[in-house]
């Protein structure tokens, strides 16, 4: 019998749901749950458990539906926590972006009501980077913006949220690809190699020096790069450099597609930056 009091939902596309489940597609988490008739358990689509046969599976738009049909939540993938996890990650990102200085992991975790270790893992899984790395990405963007204004370098570093000059100079060498003063003088004396890599989030321009990253941004071409560094030698990357750039982009983790695009881009830029800079910062 049909219950007319229940509002109609968009019907589930069962074929698409099965494909997502087969692929353990994280992007499908929160869109539906998968109930397994032989075990009486329901899972999120990305659950790591072995895949049952197709005829033993039923799809429900949400956990409530599966529970009403007598299924229990999987202890492994905890399908009931998807929405809460997403909200927690989104709230933490907003807190990081609004903060002048990177919030401590324990403060972030407490704010969203999770244990620090668990939240760290959750955040990394959702965004591809740690909360601290995400905060560094925000700070690097702010530092570049502040430096391009008519501020002194000291003003700019405090404006960007660095606690002091030593931290700023240690990090900015890699994050600007050159000394801050040189960066402000249009890249005077620097040689910059650039490439544009296609990514699922759009074309990504990466411009490097031997010291680090001069620019990394979602841009289709080198126009803004050349405008920012009128005093540098700017050239298209070739050979081994180009190959390594492409590899770093291909290996970087993508964030959960249900996060806002701006967040996914920031996280991806940071994931690529960290991979590129890893050999230089490990010294
Ligand atoms: Zn499961």
């Amino acid at each position: 019998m049909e219950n007319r009091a229940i509002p109609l939902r968009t019907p589930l596309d069962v074929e698409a749901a099965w494909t997502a489940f087969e692929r353990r597609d994280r992007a499908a988490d929160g869109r539906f749950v998968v109930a397994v008739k032989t075990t009486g358990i329901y899972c999120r689509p990305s659950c790591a458990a072995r895949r049952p046969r197709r005829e033993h599976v039923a799809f429900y738009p949400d956990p409530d539906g599966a529970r009403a049909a007598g299924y229990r939540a999987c202890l492994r993938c905890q399908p009931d926590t998807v929405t809460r996890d997403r909200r927690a990650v989104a709230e933490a990102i907003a807190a990081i972006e609004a903060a002048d200085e990177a919030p401590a992991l324990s403060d972030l975790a407490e704010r969203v009501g999770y244990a620090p270790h668990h939240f760290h893992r959750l955040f990394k899984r959702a965004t591809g980077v740690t909360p601290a790395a995400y905060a560094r990405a925000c700070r690097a963007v702010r530092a570049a913006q502040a430096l391009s204004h008519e501020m002194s370098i000291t003003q700019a570093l405090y404006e960007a949220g660095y606690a002091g000059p030593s931290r700023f100079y240690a990090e900015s060498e890699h994050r600007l690809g050159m000394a801050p003063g040189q960066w402000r003088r249009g890249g005077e004396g620097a040689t910059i190699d650039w490439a544009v890599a296609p990514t699922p989030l759009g074309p990504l321009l990466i411009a490097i020096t031997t010291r680090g990253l001069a620019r990394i941004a979602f841009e289709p071409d080198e126009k803004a790069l050349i405008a920012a560094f009128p005093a540098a030698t700017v050239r298209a990357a070739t050979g081994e450099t180009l190959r390594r750039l492409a590899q770093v982009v291909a290996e970087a983790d993508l964030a959960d597609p249900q996060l806002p695009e701006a967040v996914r881009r920031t996280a991806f830029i940071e994931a690529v930056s960290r991979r590129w800079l890893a050999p230089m910062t490990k010294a």
Side-chain angles (χ1 to χ4, degrees):
M1 206 174 65
E2 220 176 337
N3 186 345
R4 303 229 172 245
I6 296 172
L8 287 172
R9 293 172 187 278
T10 335
L12 253 172
D13 178 343
V14 174
E15 279 308 312
W18 172 255
T19 307
F21 178 54
E22 262 193 315
R23 288 189 191 146
R24 297 187 165 83
D25 185 358
R26 274 194 303 133
D29 287 0
R31 299 209 171 137
F32 60 90
V33 296
V34 189
V36 183
K37 294 169 191 167
T38 46
T39 59
I41 294 217
Y42 66 94
C43 288
R44 53 172 89 191
S46 72
C47 182
R50 240 183 90 234
R51 290 299 174 254
R53 293 182 22 193
R54 172 88 193 249
E55 63 266 34
H56 293 152
V57 155
F59 298 102
Y60 291 90
D62 55 41
D64 293 345
R67 270 198 305 274
Y71 292 97
R72 284 172 296 119
C74 171
L75 293 175
R76 189 164 175 184
C77 67
Q78 304 188 5
D80 297 352
T81 64
V82 175
T83 316
R84 182 169 172 245
D85 289 356
R86 274 218 174 90
R87 253 203 311 268
V89 169
E91 196 183 328
I93 285 169
I96 292 169
E97 288 179 345
D100 287 335
E101 277 179 49
L105 173 65
S106 53
D107 292 344
L108 277 180
E110 194 186 326
R111 185 187 183 117
V112 296
Y114 285 78
H117 268 83
H118 176 62
F119 183 66
H120 190 263
R121 235 188 359 254
L122 182 76
F123 191 96
K124 176 101 198 301
R125 198 171 56 210
T127 63
V129 294
T130 65
Y134 192 87
R136 270 196 293 277
C138 294
R139 195 165 60 181
V141 170
R142 281 198 299 260
Q145 278 167 353
L147 276 176
S148 48
H149 291 115
E150 291 299 304
M151 262 176 235
S152 74
I153 289 174
T154 311
Q155 268 177 311
L157 74 93
Y158 286 113
E159 183 75 18
Y162 287 90
S166 58
R167 190 63 192 269
F168 170 72
Y169 281 100
E171 218 176 278
S172 63
E173 167 96 14
H174 298 307
R175 296 286 175 158
L176 301 174
M178 60 192 81
Q182 191 183 10
W183 195 90
R184 292 197 80 172
R185 291 191 301 276
E188 192 180 85
T191 299
I192 299 172
D193 290 311
W194 64 269
V196 173
T199 81
L201 298 168
L204 180 69
L205 175 123
I206 317 172
I208 55 153
T209 69
T210 51
R211 295 159 78 177
L213 288 155
R215 187 181 187 90
I216 174 164
F218 282 94
E219 289 166 357
D221 58 43
E222 73 280 23
K223 280 196 198 100
L225 173 70
I226 290 170
F229 297 105
T233 305
V234 178
R235 56 190 197 186
T238 56
E240 177 60 13
T241 307
L242 185 60
R243 194 195 62 75
R244 276 174 48 225
L245 282 170
Q247 189 187 355
V248 160
V249 172
E251 285 172 358
D253 289 325
L254 283 160
D256 180 343
Q258 290 184 31
L259 287 169
E261 187 175 75
V263 168
R264 297 167 65 208
R265 286 182 155 196
T266 302
F268 192 70
I269 283 176
E270 183 59 19
V272 171
S273 302
R274 290 176 69 71
R275 278 177 179 275
W276 183 262
L277 296 173
M280 300 175 192
T281 48
K282 263 180 203 141

